[in-house]
């Protein structure tokens, strides 16, 4: 297998883009990545997306995106892994380039969510879970995470406000990300007073939906000579049961553990070597569980990292440095690509006030469902 | 409307029928033919008692399409006395506060209506506090 480098990145602002369609957003991100890479063609197009069929009445995004970005004619497919679609698309593009099947690939994550009323988006998001045995019982996707959070608080004795640092850090970092959905500083008081969605998860525990697209341009590393290269040092995917209730241990993200252990092995690093970690903070509870599964905290102690101030850009393990899902926003199928774009920005040193000093090794972890698909990528600057 | 889908699940929705694995004796709900515990073939039906306790719960304020008129309502993970966890709504709560560990039992209730007012009514299991 060949070593693969990320040559170009592109992203749109995440927002309620009333004036832009799914294809407009895709083209904007794709052209930005092509321009950043200094290329005009790509060997293949890999589109990460969750709900275009439900929300936008549009499937077959592969040729749609290839056609509208001027890359008509080659290999182009859509990859679905619910909220993990972005990383799944990257992994597919990566395998194509690493194997030698393609000499370049454009990976795009896109989600256009706000064309429908929230009740329909809420129902569409729930399709990440088990349709017959979870969704039909009336549980929303937020509700599934709320069930996990309630039990976690019960088992380990945490209070709701102990989770506030995850949201506060994300919002503080997003102030400096021009592509972020929310530019609003929040306090513990805001966090505690926020409107309830599904107890104990309130609005400030949860990431906002939004419209957005992000893109990456992949090439074989040995095709680049001289200068700084951003290498994909590891890519590992793992799965767990689709239904949360089918897991022997709901409070541990087994698929995160498996995928990050494999990623650490591939990259030859451990948690202590990770300079920046863009984790999947769809809800504050998921930040705690990801930190625990990836070896940054003991079980039940992930919350402590936030309370001890270890998660900021100069902390022991900087997370959500560009705002995370919480404040950058969570255009579901695009999120995994945004995370990797942001890790690239950190390794390039482009993050201004939230730059992690001399970041050389960065990790991104994207989750589909309540832990069913978990994909970890590690990037290195050299 | 998805009439066959709901019809297919009638044994599970009305009877809480799962399976018992003949190899490792683990009881499985919902039935899935390949035992999640030992990987062996599991095709022996097993009817659960419907008794269990609340493992976790959430009250849903922002409901998905099809459930909005019922919000707020409470969904729980119920640990059945035979082992498996089931996701289901709690009902008949009255003024009783929900707590982890609370004993509950299965009842059959209307889950929702699939589509407009001329479409099918979907019934299934919910759990209520055990009557003393």
């Amino acid at each position: 297998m060949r070593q693969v480098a990320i040559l170009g990145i592109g992203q749109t602002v995440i927002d309620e883009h009333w004036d832009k369609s799914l294809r407009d957003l895709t083209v904007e991100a794709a052209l930005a990545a092509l321009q950043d890479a200094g290329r005009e063609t790509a060997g293949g197009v890999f589109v990460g997306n969750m709900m275009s069929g439900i929300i936008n009445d549009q499937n077959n995004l592969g040729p749609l995106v290839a056609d509208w970005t001027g890359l008509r004619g080659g290999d182009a497919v859509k990859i679905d892994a619910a909220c993990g679609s972005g990383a799944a698309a990257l992994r597919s593009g990566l395998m194509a380039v690493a194997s030698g099947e393609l000499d370049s690939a454009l990976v795009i994550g896109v989600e256009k969510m706000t064309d429908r009323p929230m009740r329909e988006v809420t129902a569409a998001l729930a399709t990440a879970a088990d349709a017959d045995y979870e969704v039909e019982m009336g549980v929303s996707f937020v509700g599934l995470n709320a069930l996990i959070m309630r039990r976690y608080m019960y088992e380990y004795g945490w209070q709701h406000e102990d989770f506030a640092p995850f949201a506060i850090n994300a919002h503080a970092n997003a102030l400096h990300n021009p592509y972020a959905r929310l530019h609003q500083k929040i306090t513990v008081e805001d966090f505690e007073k926020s409107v309830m969605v599904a107890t104990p998860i309130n609005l400030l525990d949860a990431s906002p939906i939004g419209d957005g697209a992000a893109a990456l341009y992949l090439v074989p590393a040995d095709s680049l000579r001289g200068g700084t290269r951003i290498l994909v040092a590891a890519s590992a995917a793992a799965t767990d049961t689709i239904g949360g209730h089918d897991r022997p241990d709901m409070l541990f993200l087994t698929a995160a553990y498996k995928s990050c252990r494999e990623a650490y092995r591939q990259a030859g690093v451990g948690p202590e070597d990770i300079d920046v970690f863009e984790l999947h903070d769809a809800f504050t509870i998921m930040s705690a569980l990801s930190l625990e599964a990836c070896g940054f905290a003991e079980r039940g102690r992930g919350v402590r990292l936030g309370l001890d101030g270890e998660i900021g850009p100069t902390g022991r393990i900087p997370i959500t440095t560009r705002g995370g899902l919480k404040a950058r926003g969570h255009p579901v199928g695009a999120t995994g690509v945004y995370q990797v774009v942001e890790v690239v920005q950190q390794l390039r040193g482009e993050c201004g006030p939230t730059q992690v000093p001399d970041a050389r090794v960065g990790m991104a972890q994207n989750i589909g469902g309540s832990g069913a698909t978990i994909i970890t990528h590690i990037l290195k600057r050299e | 409307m998805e009439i066959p889908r709901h019809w297919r699940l009638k044994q599970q929705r009305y009877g809480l029928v799962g399976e018992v694995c003949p190899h490792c004796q683990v009881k499985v709900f919902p039935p899935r033919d390949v035992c999640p515990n030992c990987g062996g073939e599991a095709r022996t039906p097993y009817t659960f008692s419907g008794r269990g306790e609340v493992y976790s719960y959430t009250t849903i304020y922002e409901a998905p399409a099809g459930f909005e008129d019922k919000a707020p309502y409470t969904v729980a993970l119920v640990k059945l006395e035979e082992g498996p966890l089931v996701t289901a709504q709690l009902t008949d709560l009255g003024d009783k506060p929900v707590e982890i560990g609370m004993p509950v039992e299965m009842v059959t209730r209307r889950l929702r209506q699939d589509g407009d007012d001329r479409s099918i009514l979907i019934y299934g299991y919910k759990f209520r506090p055990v009557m003393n």
Side-chain angles (χ1 to χ4, degrees):
Chain A
M1 298 286 267
R2 301 188 289 187
Q3 179 85 61
V4 174
I6 297 176
L7 185 60
I9 57 173
Q11 59 186 321
T12 73
V13 170
I14 297 175
D15 207 341
E16 294 182 21
H17 286 294
W18 306 114
D19 56 336
K20 288 178 183 166
S21 67
L22 181 143
R23 68 186 78 183
D24 295 333
L25 293 166
T26 312
V27 170
E28 186 179 326
L31 294 185
L34 286 165
Q35 186 177 22
D36 189 45
R39 302 291 178 97
E40 292 182 346
T41 62
V45 177
F46 297 84
V47 184
N49 172 270
M50 173 178 173
M51 50 175 68
S52 70
I54 306 171
I55 295 291
N56 315 109
D57 298 320
Q58 178 73 63
N59 270 323
N60 217 359
L61 290 191
L64 174 90
V65 172
D67 183 9
W68 286 69
T69 49
L71 300 171
R72 193 178 311 134
D75 190 358
V77 291
K78 163 176 159 172
I79 313 282
D80 161 49
C83 320
S85 299
L90 167 57
R91 195 167 145 72
S92 293
L94 191 65
M95 289 191 286
V97 176
S99 68
E101 181 71 13
L102 300 177
D103 278 326
S104 62
L106 185 64
V107 174
I108 306 172
V110 62
E111 207 72 62
K112 172 68 188 169
M113 307 174 77
T114 65
D115 278 0
R116 300 259 187 175
M118 194 58 205
R119 53 191 280 277
E120 292 182 28
V121 176
T122 301
L125 286 167
T127 63
D130 185 321
D132 289 342
Y133 293 103
E134 290 182 322
V135 181
E136 201 56 57
M137 299 302 139
V139 67
S140 59
F141 192 66
V142 183
L144 290 169
N145 287 272
L147 290 167
I148 296 171
M149 185 168 176
R150 169 93 64 196
R151 185 74 195 190
Y152 182 93
M153 290 164 65
Y154 172 82
E155 291 275 347
Y156 299 113
W158 298 110
Q159 301 300 308
H160 181 260
E161 71 172 37
D162 296 330
F163 293 80
F166 292 122
I168 291 169
N169 173 59
H171 276 261
N173 292 339
L175 287 174
H176 307 287
N177 179 2
Y179 299 99
R181 171 94 161 83
L182 302 175
H183 292 110
Q184 177 191 3
K185 204 174 168 75
I186 62 165
T187 64
V188 178
E189 291 69 40
D190 298 330
F191 183 75
E192 284 301 286
K193 281 192 307 194
S194 182
V195 65
M196 197 51 77
V197 183
T199 59
I201 292 182
N202 71 25
L203 200 61
L204 287 180
D205 282 296
S207 53
I209 67 157
D211 307 327
L216 299 161
Y217 194 91
L218 309 180
V219 293
D222 61 14
S223 69
L224 305 177
R225 303 199 191 288
T228 301
R229 300 188 299 181
I230 306 295
L231 304 178
V232 183
S235 172
T239 54
D240 202 342
T241 62
I242 183 88
H245 48 230
D246 287 327
R247 291 176 204 148
D249 184 354
M250 286 189 77
L251 301 184
F252 189 73
L253 293 173
T254 303
Y257 176 80
K258 286 182 183 165
S259 80
C260 88
R261 291 296 134 161
E262 171 58 16
Y264 290 152
R265 190 195 64 76
Q266 289 176 17
V269 300
E272 64 282 2
D273 300 309
I274 303 297
D275 297 317
V276 53
F277 181 20
E278 290 303 330
L279 50 67
H280 193 93
D281 58 324
F283 305 95
T284 52
I285 178 65
M286 295 309 277
S287 296
L289 295 184
S290 295
L291 287 166
E292 293 169 22
C294 297
F296 297 101
E298 298 290 316
R299 290 198 58 173
R301 304 285 292 169
V303 173
R304 175 54 57 195
L305 288 171
L307 292 170
D308 288 348
E310 301 280 23
I311 59 173
T314 56
R316 183 158 71 83
I317 180 62
I319 62 170
T320 61
T321 62
R322 305 291 278 157
L325 280 63
K326 176 70 203 78
R328 170 240 294 131
H330 185 25
V332 287
T335 288
V337 183
Y338 272 96
Q339 292 176 308
V340 174
V341 163
E342 291 161 358
V343 171
V344 172
Q345 289 182 311
Q346 281 287 355
L347 300 185
R348 285 179 177 179
E350 296 173 348
C351 295
T354 64
Q355 177 66 44
V356 173
D358 194 33
R360 290 173 176 274
V361 182
M363 183 158 82
Q365 188 172 72
N366 193 199
I367 303 183
S370 59
T373 300
I374 303 190
I375 304 175
T376 308
H377 286 97
I378 296 176
L379 310 185
K380 282 183 181 174
R381 166 168 60 91
E382 68 159 41
Chain B
M1 275 202 291
E2 301 173 276
I3 293 170
R5 176 180 153 211
H6 299 297
W7 174 80
R8 275 198 302 275
L9 293 169
K10 59 187 183 298
Q11 283 196 303
Q12 284 69 47
R13 294 263 173 85
Y14 308 151
L16 222 53
V17 176
E19 282 166 343
V20 57
C21 175
H23 309 287
C24 71
Q25 316 311 319
V26 156
K27 298 185 175 77
V28 182
F29 187 86
R32 47 162 72 203
D33 294 353
V34 177
C35 174
N37 187 49
C38 73
E41 194 174 45
R43 290 180 184 275
T44 312
Y46 178 86
T47 302
F48 285 83
S49 67
R51 287 186 296 273
E53 62 174 50
V54 172
Y55 178 85
S56 190
Y57 63 96
T58 176
T59 300
I60 294 186
Y61 288 88
E62 196 169 292
F67 293 92
E68 311 104 302
D69 58 337
K70 296 171 188 65
Y73 54 93
T74 300
V75 176
L77 287 166
V78 173
K79 186 153 185 63
L80 299 175
E81 62 182 9
E82 297 90 344
L85 279 176
V86 177
T87 303
Q89 284 184 41
L90 297 183
T91 188
D92 302 4
L93 288 169
D95 296 330
K96 201 175 172 63
V98 182
E99 288 175 6
I100 288 177
M102 184 170 93
V104 290
E105 62 189 5
M106 178 222 169
V107 288
T108 302
R109 291 284 190 274
R110 186 190 296 187
L111 294 174
R112 68 178 174 98
Q113 187 158 13
D114 186 15
D116 61 26
D117 59 6
R118 299 177 68 84
S119 61
I120 60 168
L121 301 174
I122 301 167
Y123 285 81
Y125 49 81
K126 293 188 184 180
F127 286 78
R128 70 179 175 195
V130 172
M131 307 291 183
N132 292 317

